[in-house]
Amino acid sequence: MSRIVALTERLGDVPITTNERTVKGKSRDAFWYSPLLKAQLENVRAEAVVSPRDEGELLKLLAACWALDIPVTARGGGTGNYAQAVPLAGGVVLDMKSMNRIVSIGDGVLVAEPGAILSKIEDETRADSGQELRMHPSTRETATIGGFIAGGSGGVGSVRWGMLREPGNILRLRLATLEEEPRLIDLTGDEIGLVHHSYGVNGIITEVEMPLAPAQNWVDLLISFDDWPGALKAGWEIAHHEGLWLKELAAVQGPAPHKYFARHRKYLAEGDSLLCVMAAPNAVAPLIGEAEKRGGRTVYRSDRASDEEKRSLPPLYHLTWNHTTLQAIKADSSITYLQVGTPADDPLGALGQIAERFPEEIVGHVEYTRAGGKTYASFLPLYRFTTEERLNQVAQELEDLGCPCYNPHAYTYEEGNRSDADPARLALKRETDPKGLMNPGKMIGWENPDYAYDPTGSYVYPGIKRAAP
Ligand code: FAD
């Protein structure tokens, strides 16, 4: 008897499928943004997809997988870019989307199941009490809250609230363990950070407690600049004004906006660089004043647009974060992206040098964020890919300019985070997943606890299971 047949027998009513199309679809995520991951992972497949509807069904599945030694890869919306939800070792994909209840909405606090879609959460919190999540990825309509916590890092809202990892941005996580008798454990305080962005290798999140903020009728604005340094500098200075209540502030270098933002092209001149801003209604006038002082021209504002015009456009955040890359890839499949830190003391200097040194390969995209009382210019540029060798060379040159590269073309936690094997994350994994069945291959430290970060991003998980193409 195959192990999936044995699993099905043990699961009783818990929904499981081996339907080829479903299994193929749920074995993929948005890894194809990376030409390197695309080539490596195209045919990786699970054997079945299991969709528990509550904690009881989930615990039953985990006990059965323990008994049968079946790997378990959790999946929310499947929008992760680094193959976080790709089941490298086969086994089952644990589809969390049926565990999607909002448990409670309080004053500034939400409790929800992990499979709840972010936009649906916000529909409910707005209707209930005029509140919203502090931040969401630009995949708000398709990503789940559990996937955001386990696979994401921040996004729309981070200009005000910092990244997800900042204290107070995740309040509590409940985890299920994968043991003979799976347990539920609650994590608070610093322990939350061991699970956040750990790709579901050290606990299956079954419930989250998140802070809420007062919702605003956010106004989308596009502000054009003649040149990239002007847009960058204006964005940087505006990001420092805490009195301007912004939800999103990004700068995109010309000619990308006119070339790639197809549905907004009518507002843009060829070559213009752009600030993409979401502002609270009370911040719109002072924001425009500050931008105009710095040479900006407001070419679109949603509070002055007709209903028909608004309906014809996607939300502004679909031009930001990794949606900037998506808009470019739609027009030119040779484009991918990089994730680069900039020196806190002089980000504009470094960004200026990058623009001069890589005029053909890199098109600038900055997300302004704030954390620990400081403003940051996170660089998520479009990158014209040619070869892996050249990509590594460019990453090294960026490092030499003082700009660390967080490799989005590798599927392991360590390579994406420039991290050695992390003893604290591994200690939790030994407790929650002693057999190493949760999302195998995503944490090099599990295979090699002495791993020291290698910037060439060349780790290949030895247990990869591929289906015939
Ligand atoms: P999935 O991709 O399904 O899973 C992500 C990881 O979480 C996987 O490792 C999975 O195993 C794990 N996981 C899922 N559910 C659980 C659970 N219940 N318990 C334990 N582990 C679990 N990311 C950002 O941070 N900010 C952005 O602004 C952003 N913009 C994006 C734009 C585009 C166009 C794309 C394609 C991606 C973007 N991303 C961004 C990446 C991704 O969309 C987000 O991180 C998103 O929040 C992931 O949620 P998901 O439900 O799709 O998770």
Side-chain angles (χ1 to χ4, degrees), residues 29-30 33 73-81 84-85 96 114 118 136-139 142-144 146-148 150-156 199-200 203-205 321-323 326 439:
D29 63 10
Y33 279 47
T73 299
R75 185 179 201 274
T79 66
N81 290 110
Q84 295 105 308
M96 297 302 293
L118 297 161
H136 59 77
S138 58
T139 45
T142 42
T144 61
F148 184 36
S153 44
V156 180
Y199 305 176
I204 304 298
I205 301 168
W321 292 90
N322 227 352
H323 268 80
L326 177 60
N439 207 354

Side-chain angles (χ1 to χ4, degrees), residues 110-128:
L110 163 86
V111 179
E113 289 186 333
I117 298 284
L118 297 161
S119 60
K120 294 204 172 137
I121 291 177
E122 293 198 315
D123 288 347
E124 296 214 20
T125 55
R126 274 187 177 255
D128 176 88

Side-chain angles (χ1 to χ4, degrees), residues 26 28-33 58 72-86 94-97 99 113-118 135-140 142-156 158 163-164 174-176 195-208 248 317-318 320-327 337 339 367 380 411 438-439 442:
K26 299 272 184 187
R28 301 172 60 81
D29 63 10
F31 66 80
W32 53 269
Y33 279 47
L58 173 67
V72 177
T73 299
R75 185 179 201 274
T79 66
N81 290 110
Y82 330 126
Q84 295 105 308
V86 173
L94 166 55
D95 181 355
M96 297 302 293
K97 276 169 80 177
M99 285 181 63
E113 289 186 333
I117 298 284
L118 297 161
M135 71 193 75
H136 59 77
S138 58
T139 45
R140 174 176 177 266
T142 42
T144 61
I145 187 86
F148 184 36
I149 291 169
S153 44
V156 180
S158 292
M163 304 302 274
L164 259 181
R174 178 173 296 163
L175 298 182
V195 172
H196 163 46
H197 207 67
S198 283
Y199 305 176
V201 302
N202 53 11
I204 304 298
I205 301 168
T206 68
E207 188 174 279
V208 308
E248 169 61 26
Y317 57 79
H318 280 189
T320 68
W321 292 90
N322 227 352
H323 268 80
T324 314
T325 320
L326 177 60
Q327 306 304 346
Y337 72 115
Q339 297 179 151
E367 291 290 340
L380 293 172
Y411 51 73
M438 284 185 194
N439 207 354
K442 302 296 168 57

